[in-house]
Amino acid sequence: MMMDAAALTAFLARDFEQVAAQFGVDSVTADRLVLRLRVGQMHLRPGGTVSGPAMFGLADVAIYLAILSQIGPVALAVTTGASIDFLRKPEAGADLLAETRILKLGRRLAVGEALVFSEGQAAPVARASMTYSIPPGAAQGAAPA
């Protein structure tokens, strides 16, 4: 692992200060990362539920950080493909947790998935799959593609 929870949190604060306070890295291991979205008024839609864009953003940031935990602080790794399924309505007022894993980590591409949960609930509220492009020479911890 190239970056632990503290390093990922510092990276977010430095390079993505405009959104860093919304997220918290709950845990990171060699094969899993859990990211928390601190749900606030700005994340809600009419009806008191968390908006789809907020859930998508959580999944995107979580998979991005999971990749960085393996390759190091590569700010220019970018999302090139994304798919999300919204499965059920999140609990009103609860934080969301994205449990991620990396499915493929190559020199140029990485693929990950995230299950998004309302805190305290057993069933996921969304499932996302994303592909990221890694700039040439940046993937220090990646296996050959």
Side-chain angles (χ1 to χ4, degrees):
M1 215 169 53
M2 300 281 292
M3 297 177 77
D4 62 10
L8 291 167
T9 300
F11 172 82
L12 272 181
R14 183 183 66 244
D15 289 309
F16 295 96
E17 66 180 299
Q18 69 275 26
V19 297
Q22 297 176 42
F23 299 103
V25 179
D26 277 16
S27 65
V28 60
T29 65
D31 60 350
R32 188 168 165 261
L33 179 134
V34 178
L35 186 68
R36 173 182 303 272
L37 174 65
R38 297 178 183 107
V39 174
Q41 188 65 32
M42 73 174 95
H43 302 112
L44 302 181
R45 57 162 293 165
T49 188
V50 178
S51 71
M55 288 188 274
F56 180 91
L58 170 61
D60 190 28
V61 173
I63 295 170
Y64 176 65
L65 292 179
I67 292 166
L68 297 188
S69 76
Q70 300 299 312
I71 67 171
V74 181
L76 295 179
V78 296
T79 310
T80 60
S83 172
I84 189 165
D85 298 306
F86 299 105
L87 305 172
R88 56 190 50 81
K89 182 179 173 180
E91 290 294 320
D95 283 355
L96 295 183
L97 300 169
E99 296 182 4
T100 66
R101 67 183 181 133
I102 303 303
L103 303 175
K104 176 195 186 292
L105 181 58
R107 279 181 246 184
R108 301 292 299 267
L109 290 177
V111 178
E113 69 177 3
L115 288 176
V116 178
F117 295 88
S118 270
E119 187 169 37
Q121 300 296 311
V125 298
R127 182 202 62 81
S129 174
M130 299 189 184
T131 303
Y132 293 78
S133 176
I134 301 168
Q140 302 158 356

